[in-house]
C-alpha cells in the first residue's frame, strides 16, 4: 500500500518504527496536493517549504530520541477559521482577506503541541454559513468523486482534501452539520463532538452556542486519534467542559456488546432520496448482524429543527459579526474616496439650498461601517445578519428568538428521552448525495432544508458522527450515529465496529488512488 493510501494510524506506526520519515510522508501528500488541488480547490493556502521544515524538525528530534507528541510527523489540514499565530485566518471572507492572527486557537495549539505537520488551510463557506462551500469569497471546491459536484459544506475543503488523499487528517467545524454533511458527501468519516468537548478559543464565532471543531479522516480509528489530541478543558473557553479526555485511540477497536440503536420514525419522510434510505437500512442490518438490537423511536420535535436552527444561528451570527466594523480589523472601505464623495454630495446640497437634507447625510463614521460591511460580506452572510437582526428586534424577539429557544429545549428533551431507551440514534446525514455545483445557489431555502438531519445535534449539544455506508450512482452516502453528551468514546467504538464489518470507508475516488 502506498503512503497516501494508508490510514493515519498506520502511518503513525511507520513513523514510530522509523520505517518512514515525516519528510517522506509530507512530501507524498504535498505532491498529491500539487497534482490534484488545482482541480479540486480544497486548499486556500499551503506552503511546501513550511510544511517540509516542520517535518524535518520532527524527524531530527526523533533521530535524537527526544520525546514527541501523539501526532508526531503526521500532516493535518485546518479549516480557515481556526486562528494560527502569524498566519492568515480568512474564514473565506473578503472582510478578513488580510487578517493575520496574533494568537493560536486552542485546537491549533494542541496540534502543534502534538507535533502534527500543519500542511495547509482549507476552503469553506464564508464564516461557515452554507452547505456546499460555494459561499467562499475566494474559490469553489469540487467533490473529488465528481468534479461537477459540491463537496458539501461548510467544511467542504476539509472533507475534499481527505477524500482526494491530500492529507490523512483534517479539522473542520460543525455548527449545524458542517463536519458530518461534507464527510458524507465526500465518503470520509467526520465527527462533531459534544458541545464543550473541544475548546472554541480561537475558533472564529458563527453561532457560539452551536459551534464545535472536530476531526475528519478515513476511519473512526483516525478520528479517535485526532479527537484525543484536540479535546479537553480550556480555561480560555468557559463553555469547554472540565471532564477527563478518554484515550479514544486505545479503546476504539473494542467492540460494544448489547448495543441498542434507535431508528427515528420522523427521519424517513418525504424528501429523503430512496438510495440514501436504502443504504441506511442496509447499515442497520449490518449492526443487527453484529448483535445490535434496533427499535423505532420518535423525536417528535425534530421537524422543527431547521426552523429553530435558522433562527438561533442567524441571531447569534448577527451579534457575533457586529465586530467586523472596518475599524478594529478586517476590510476597510477606501476612506479617501468615501470622504471625497460625501463632501461633494454635501456641497451640492448646500449649493442647492437643501440644508435640511445636507444635515441628514450619514456621519462619515456610520458610512465607514456601512461601506466596509457592504463590501466585505458576501450575500449569504448578509442574509443571515438581516434574518438575525430582524428576529432579535424589539417586538419580534419573543415571537421568534425566544420561541425558538423554547423549542430548542424540547428538541433536547426528545434526545434525553431517546437515550434512556437506546445507546445511539441511527439515520441519514443528508437527504441526498452530493448535488451539482450551482444547483441550489439561488434557492437558500432548499439549501437550508437539506440540514434537517444534522441541526438537531447542535441544538441539543450532543455528539454525532458520519461514516461512509454506500454509494448512489458513484457518489458516497453517509450514515449518522448520534450519542448522548460526552459519549464520544462509545460512539467511535460503534463506528469502528461498522468499519470492521464493511469496506465502504476504504473506497477512494480515482484521484485519491
Ligand atoms: N449548513 C448549515 C448552515 O448553513 C450548517 C453550517 C455549519 O455547520 N457551519 O448554517
Amino acid at each position: 500500500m502506498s503512503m497516501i493510501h494508508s490510514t493515519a494510524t498506520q502511518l503513525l506506526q511507520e513513523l514510530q518504527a522509523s520505517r518512514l520519515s515525516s519528510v517522506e510522508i509530507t512530501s507524498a501528500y504535498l505532491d498529491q496536493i500539487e497534482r490534484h488541488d488545482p482541480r479540486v480547490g480544497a486548499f486556500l493556502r499551503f506552503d511546501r517549504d513550511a510544511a517540509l521544515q516542520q517535518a524535518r524538525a520532527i524527524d531530527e528530534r526523533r533521530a535524537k530520541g527526544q520525546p514527541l507528541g501523539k501526532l508526531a510527523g503526521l500532516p493535518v489540514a485546518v479549516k480557515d477559521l481556526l486562528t494560527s499565530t502569524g498566519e492568515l485566518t480568512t474564514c473565506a471572507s473578503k472582510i478578513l482577506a488580510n487578517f493575520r492572527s496574533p494568537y493560536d486557537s486552542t485546537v491549533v495549539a494542541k496540534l502543534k503541541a502534538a507535533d502534527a505537520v500543519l500542511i495547509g488551510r482549507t476552503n469553506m463557506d464564508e464564516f461557515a454559513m452554507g452547505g456546499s462551500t460555494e459561499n467562499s469569497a475566494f474559490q469553489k471546491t469540487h467533490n473529488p468523486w465528481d468534479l461537477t459536484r459540491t463537496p458539501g459544506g461548510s467544511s467542504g475543503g476539509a472533507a475534499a482534501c481527505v477524500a482526494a488523499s491530500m492529507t490523512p487528517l483534517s479539522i473542520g467545524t460543525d455548527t449545524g452539520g458542517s463536519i458530518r454533511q461534507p464527510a458524507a458527501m465526500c465518503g470520509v468519516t467526520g465527527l462533531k463532538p459534544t458541545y464543550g468537548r473541544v475548546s472554541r478559543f480561537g475558533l472564529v464565532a458563527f453561532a457560539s452556542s452551536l459551534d464545535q471543531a472536530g476531526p475528519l479522516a478515513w476511519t473512526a480509528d483516525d478520528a479517535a486519534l485526532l479527537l484525543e489530541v484536540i479535546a479537553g478543558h480550556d480555561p480560555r473557553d468557559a463553555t469547554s467542559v472540565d471532564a477527563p479526555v478518554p484515550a479514544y485511540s486505545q479503546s476504539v477497536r473494542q467492540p460494544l456488546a448489547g448495543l441498542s440503536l434507535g431508528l427515528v420514525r420522523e427521519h424517513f419522510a418525504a424528501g429523503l432520496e430512496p438510495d440514501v434510505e436504502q443504504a441506511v437500512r442496509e447499515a442497520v442490518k449490518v449492526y443487527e448482524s453484529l448483535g445490535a438490537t434496533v427499535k423505532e423511536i420518535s423525536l417528535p420535535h425534530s421537524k422543527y429543527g431547521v426552523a429553530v436552527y435558522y433562527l438561533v444561528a442567524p441571531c447569534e451570527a448577527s451579534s457575533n459579526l457586529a465586530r467586523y466594523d472596518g475599524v478594529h480589523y478586517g476590510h476597510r472601505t477606501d476612506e479617501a474616496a468615501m470622504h471625497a464623495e460625501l463632501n461633494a454630495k454635501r456641497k451640492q446640497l448646500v449649493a442647492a439650498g437643501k440644508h435640511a437634507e445636507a444635515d441628514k447625510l450619514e456621519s462619515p463614521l456610520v458610512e465607514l461601517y456601512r461601506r466596509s460591511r457592504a463590501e466585505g460580506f458576501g450575500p449569504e452572510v448578509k442574509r443571515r445578519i438581516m434574518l438575525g437582526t430582524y428576529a432579535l428586534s424589539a417586538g419580534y424577539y419573543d415571537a421568534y428568538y425566544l420561541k425558538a429557544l423554547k423549542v430548542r429545549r424540547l428538541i433536547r428533551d426528545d434526545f434525553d428521552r431517546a437515550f434512556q431507551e437506546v445507546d445511539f440514534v441511527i439515520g441519514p446525514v443528508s437527504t441526498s448525495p452530493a448535488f451539482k455545483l450551482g444547483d441550489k445557489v439561488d434557492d437558500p431555502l432548499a439549501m437550508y432544508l437539506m440540514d434537517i438531519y444534522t441541526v438537531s445535534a447542535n441544538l441539543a449539544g450532543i455528539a454525532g458522527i458520519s461514516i461512509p455506508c454506500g454509494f448512489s450512482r458513484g457518489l458516497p452516502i453517509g450514515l449518522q450515529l448520534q450519542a448522548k453528551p460526552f459519549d464520544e468514546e462509545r460512539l467511535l467504538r460503534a463506528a469502528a465496529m461498522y468499519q470492521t464489518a464493511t469496506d465502504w470507508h476504504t473506497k477512494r475516488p480515482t484521484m485519491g488512488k
Side-chain angles (χ1 to χ4, degrees):
M1 196 169 4
S2 84
M3 259 179 269
I4 58 163
H5 294 150
S6 308
T7 65
T9 308
Q10 288 165 339
L11 288 174
L12 204 56
Q13 284 162 3
E14 298 301 299
L15 282 163
Q16 283 162 354
S18 295
R19 284 191 292 266
L20 280 178
S21 70
S22 177
V23 168
E24 286 171 305
I25 292 172
T26 306
S27 308
Y29 283 108
L30 286 166
D31 291 349
Q32 184 74 359
I33 296 173
E34 280 170 4
R35 213 161 62 160
H36 294 300
D37 207 44
R39 281 181 299 150
V40 176
F43 284 91
L44 284 172
R45 263 159 276 114
F46 72 96
D47 180 340
R48 174 174 273 273
D49 295 340
L52 287 175
Q53 203 179 329
Q54 296 171 60
R56 215 170 292 122
I58 291 157
D59 286 340
E60 280 166 18
R61 282 170 51 206
R62 194 185 304 278
K64 287 188 198 142
Q66 291 175 1
L68 292 169
K70 280 189 185 166
L71 298 177
L74 279 184
V76 182
V78 177
K79 185 176 181 179
D80 206 25
L81 89 169
L82 288 148
T83 62
S84 182
T85 310
E87 283 189 69
L88 290 173
T89 300
T90 68
C91 300
S93 179
K94 263 185 10 200
I95 213 157
L96 289 176
N98 299 313
F99 174 69
R100 278 185 198 277
S101 171
Y103 68 99
D104 274 338
S105 55
T106 297
V107 168
V108 166
K110 283 183 181 249
L111 291 173
K112 288 180 180 172
D115 294 315
V117 172
L118 297 170
I119 197 165
R121 311 273 302 179
T122 57
N123 196 27
M124 54 184 282
D125 285 300
E126 183 177 4
F127 285 103
M129 297 176 191
S132 67
T133 313
E134 290 167 288
N135 296 334
S136 166
F138 304 124
Q139 67 193 37
K140 292 227 181 323
T141 300
H142 301 258
N143 191 314
W145 291 90
D146 174 348
L147 295 174
T148 67
R149 291 177 189 268
T150 156
S154 65
S155 311
C161 68
V162 174
S165 305
M166 297 173 184
T167 176
L169 297 170
S170 84
I171 300 280
T173 65
D174 191 312
T175 302
S178 280
I179 290 175
R180 291 161 287 157
Q181 184 256 33
M185 290 186 173
C186 290
V188 301
T189 298
L191 172 79
K192 181 205 99 69
T194 308
Y195 185 78
R197 181 76 286 190
V198 177
S199 168
R200 289 183 299 106
F201 180 74
L203 184 170
V204 178
F206 159 13
S208 310
S209 77
L210 304 163
D211 300 336
Q212 267 292 291
L216 291 111
W218 279 109
T219 63
D221 299 25
D222 289 359
L225 182 67
L226 189 50
L227 180 65
E228 187 173 315
V229 166
I230 61 171
H233 178 239
D234 177 7
R236 287 177 297 188
D237 171 8
T239 62
S240 75
V241 171
D242 196 358
V245 177
Y248 301 116
S249 64
Q250 302 304 307
S251 59
V252 64
R253 281 302 179 99
Q254 289 166 19
L256 291 161
L259 195 63
S260 63
L261 301 174
L263 206 48
V264 181
R265 190 173 310 139
E266 293 83 3
H267 277 175
F268 298 94
L272 179 61
E273 281 197 11
D275 284 2
V276 178
E277 170 162 1
Q278 173 83 21
V280 169
R281 294 207 185 267
E282 290 297 324
V284 170
K285 285 191 200 141
V286 171
Y287 273 109
E288 282 176 321
S289 75
L290 295 171
T293 53
V294 180
K295 68 158 113 169
E296 198 179 76
I297 57 160
S298 174
L299 297 173
H301 298 93
S302 60
K303 60 174 178 283
Y304 304 118
V306 170
V308 171
Y309 172 83
Y310 280 99
L311 280 166
V312 173
C315 284
E316 294 187 24
S318 71
S319 163
N320 274 325
L321 272 59
R323 68 185 61 149
Y324 305 105
D325 55 7
V327 175
H328 293 91
Y329 48 80
H331 171 80
R332 182 182 300 181
T333 193
D334 179 341
E335 280 181 277
M338 179 191 83
H339 284 297
E341 212 183 289
L342 287 180
N343 288 339
K345 216 185 228 172
R346 191 178 305 274
K347 260 194 205 147
Q348 234 177 15
L349 290 170
V350 172
K354 299 181 175 166
H355 294 280
E357 263 180 66
D359 286 345
K360 267 195 228 136
L361 280 179
E362 211 62 274
S363 79
L365 179 63
V366 172
E367 190 63 18
L368 175 82
Y369 296 151
R370 199 183 64 73
R371 289 186 187 209
S372 300
R373 287 167 66 83
E375 292 161 4
F377 290 134
E380 182 61 28
V381 174
K382 286 179 184 161
R383 183 177 298 124
R384 307 263 178 132
I385 292 173
M386 285 189 278
L387 280 170
T389 306
Y390 179 83
L392 287 173
S393 56
Y396 294 108
Y397 180 92
D398 289 358
Y400 292 111
Y401 183 63
L402 202 61
K403 182 71 134 302
L405 289 187
K406 289 177 181 167
V407 183
R408 179 178 186 176
R409 178 73 223 188
L410 296 175
I411 289 172
R412 168 77 195 241
D413 291 347
D414 280 357
F415 276 110
D416 284 349
R417 256 192 308 274
F419 290 129
Q420 279 168 12
E421 281 188 67
V422 295
D423 297 318
F424 303 107
V425 171
I426 189 167
V429 176
S430 175
T431 50
S432 76
F435 50 93
K436 291 262 185 204
L437 286 162
D439 246 18
K440 296 190 201 285
V441 275
D442 297 324
D443 192 350
L445 191 59
M447 198 78 126
Y448 298 172
L449 287 170
M450 289 200 70
D451 298 335
I452 173 111
Y453 302 122
T454 49
V455 291
S456 298
N458 303 76
L459 291 167
I462 63 172
I465 195 168
S466 171
I467 51 178
C469 72
F471 286 87
S472 168
R473 284 161 281 129
L475 300 168
I477 298 172
L479 173 75
Q480 182 169 215
L481 292 176
Q482 289 167 290
K484 57 170 154 299
F486 300 100
D487 208 12
E488 285 87 357
E489 184 180 19
R490 294 193 327 140
L491 182 62
L492 285 159
R493 286 167 65 190
M497 258 170 90
Y498 180 79
Q499 294 185 334
T500 311
T502 58
D503 65 357
W504 302 116
H505 62 288
T506 65
K507 308 273 186 239
R508 301 206 171 191
T510 315
M511 66 170 51
K513 285 181 184 154

